[in-house]
Amino acid sequence: MIDYQAILDEIYQRLQQRVDKGEVASYIPELAQVAPEKFGIYLNRIKGDDFYVGDWDEPFSIQSISKVLSFAKAFSLQKNQVFKRLDVEPSGNPFNHLSLLELENGIPRNPFINSGAIVIADMLISLLDNPKEDFLQFVRDISNDQTIQFNKKVAASEAETGYNNYAAANLLKSFGNLKNDVDEVLDFYFHQCSIEMNCKQLTKAFYPFANRGKCMQGKPHLTLNQVKRVNAIMLTCGFYDEAGEFAFEVGLPGKSGVGGGIVALLPGEFTIACWSPGLNEKGNSYLGMHALELFTTKTNLSIF
Ligand code: GLU
C-alpha cells in the first residue's frame, strides 16, 4: 500500500524550503502579480481517495494547459481533419518560436505550441456558435464544475503585450492557415489561456484523459482513440523544449502553463496537478517539475 499523503507531505516540505523557486512570468504583466511562494499539489485517483497538500484550492491562470482542452474540443468535432492544418511533431523549440513556422510554410509543429493553439482557436471560432462561451461551457462540462471562469484582467493584459502572438497569427494568416480575423482569433486564444482553475479542478478537467474518455460522472466526452492521441501529444509536446526532460524525469503525459501549473496523468490510475508560479528557464514550473519527478520516483508509478 502506497502512503500517498506521506509522500505528498514529504515532497511539499522538501521543495517548499528551496530558496530558488524560479521566476514568475512577467511578460504578461497581470501574471507577475502572483505570490511566488504559492505551492500546491492535488492527486485525483481513478479508483481511490484523493490526496492533497499546500495551496491546492487556490485558482491560478492555466495558460497553455488550456491548449489540451481546445485541441480535444476541435479534435472531437473535426476528427482527423485537424491534421491538415497542423502536425504532431515535437518542436524542440520554445513555445513562441516563429522561424520554424515560416520555414514549414505556416503549418505549426503541434497543437501545444502557440502557433498550433492559434490555428485550433481559429477552427473553434469557425465551428462554434458562440466561440468563447461555448468553449468555456465545454471546459465546465468536462470538469463537471460550472464555476470555472475566464479571468478578463489576465486576457486583457495579454492582449496588450502579446506582440509575439500577433506576429504568429499574422504569419499564419499570410500562409492562408487562419480563416478568421487575426484580432478575433487572438481574443479567443487570450481568453482560453486566462481560464482559472485550482489544482483540484485541473485534475477533474483532465480526468477523461486518464479514464478512457469519461469524466468523473461517467459521461463520455472523448473516444478511446482520441484519448490515445491527445495523451501521445502531451507526452511528446507538452513541455515545449523540455518535453524530453519531462518524459525522462517524470514519465507521464502532461501539460504545463506559464501560470506555473502542471497537470499530468497515468491512464487508469490518476491525474495529478501541481502549482508553483516560479518558472525555470524553459518556462515550466520549477517546483512543479521537481515535485512530479519525486512523486513518480517515490511511488514507482509512471507509464514506463
Ligand atoms: N498565453 C501564453 C502565451 O501565449 C501561454 C504560454 C504558456 O503558457 O506556455 O504566451
Side-chain angles (χ1 to χ4, degrees):
M1 265 291 275
I2 301 175
D3 189 343
Y4 290 103
Q5 193 61 53
I7 290 174
L8 291 188
D9 289 343
E10 192 193 331
I11 295 171
Y12 182 80
Q13 297 304 340
R14 194 158 138 190
L15 294 180
Q16 250 281 353
Q17 290 165 9
R18 291 244 178 132
V19 180
D20 182 8
K21 292 185 164 71
E23 294 289 324
V24 177
S26 57
Y27 76 100
I28 301 173
E30 201 60 33
L31 291 186
Q33 310 300 323
V34 181
E37 65 279 358
K38 297 286 179 190
F39 182 32
I41 310 174
Y42 195 97
L43 171 69
N44 188 336
R45 290 168 66 235
I46 308 290
K47 297 185 203 92
D49 295 337
D50 292 359
F51 297 91
Y52 37 86
V53 68
D55 301 310
W56 62 270
D57 60 350
E58 211 169 301
F60 58 90
S61 192
I62 69 168
Q63 291 296 319
S64 271
I65 296 173
S66 68
K67 293 171 181 170
V68 180
L69 303 174
S70 60
F71 175 68
K73 180 70 184 167
F75 192 24
S76 68
L77 291 171
Q78 288 258 283
K79 315 284 185 291
N80 286 342
Q81 294 285 332
V82 293
F83 301 118
K84 290 193 170 150
R85 294 177 57 189
L86 44 80
D87 210 339
V88 289
E89 289 300 333
S91 75
N93 278 303
F95 60 95
N96 55 7
H97 198 74
L98 292 178
S99 57
L100 203 60
L101 184 63
E102 188 174 20
L103 209 66
E104 297 180 350
N105 302 317
I107 301 294
R109 273 284 166 114
N110 66 67
F112 299 163
I113 51 174
N114 286 6
S115 55
I118 291 169
V119 168
I120 294 293
D122 183 53
M123 286 181 199
L124 290 177
I125 288 175
S126 301
L127 290 163
L128 301 174
D129 294 336
N130 301 298
K132 284 188 285 191
E133 293 73 15
D134 293 357
F135 177 65
L136 183 61
Q137 195 54 50
F138 166 74
V139 174
R140 288 173 172 171
D141 290 345
I142 202 170
S143 316
N144 198 48
D145 188 327
Q146 299 302 317
T147 68
I148 294 168
Q149 297 282 1
F150 295 125
N151 181 327
K152 298 268 178 199
K153 269 171 114 177
V154 171
S157 178
E158 187 166 7
E160 268 171 35
T161 55
Y163 306 111
N164 184 283
N165 286 319
Y166 281 100
N170 278 298
L171 203 53
L172 289 164
K173 188 87 183 166
S174 77
F175 280 108
N177 201 5
L178 217 63
K179 310 291 175 214
N180 297 285
D181 184 63
V182 164
D183 287 321
E184 192 186 359
V185 176
L186 287 180
D187 179 58
F188 180 97
Y189 172 73
F190 295 147
H191 274 82
Q192 74 167 74
C193 288
S194 82
I195 288 176
E196 288 195 331
M197 290 192 201
N198 61 33
C199 290
K200 179 179 182 180
Q201 289 169 320
L202 255 189
T203 65
K204 288 168 72 181
F206 279 70
Y207 198 91
F209 302 104
N211 190 40
R212 304 170 70 88
K214 293 186 179 153
C215 71
M216 284 184 75
Q217 281 57 43
K219 193 171 162 223
H221 287 274
L222 299 159
T223 65
L224 256 183
N225 185 48
Q226 287 163 351
V227 165
K228 177 181 86 174
R229 297 199 189 286
V230 177
N231 284 346
I233 310 174
M234 275 199 261
L235 184 72
T236 52
C237 311
F239 295 82
Y240 321 119
D241 44 339
E242 211 172 21
E245 179 83 1
F246 192 81
F248 180 77
E249 298 285 356
V250 180
L252 298 173
K255 184 75 198 85
S256 63
V258 293
I262 299 183
V263 61
L265 58 102
L266 182 58
E269 292 290 332
F270 63 79
T271 60
I272 186 166
C274 294
W275 174 51
S276 170
L279 308 179
N280 66 19
E281 65 288 351
K282 299 281 172 76
N284 294 311
S285 172
Y286 184 82
L287 293 192
M289 294 284 281
H290 285 291
L292 289 174
E293 186 275 315
L294 286 170
F295 180 78
T296 54
T297 303
K298 285 176 184 294
T299 56
N300 272 319
L301 292 172
S302 87
I303 61 167
F304 304 112

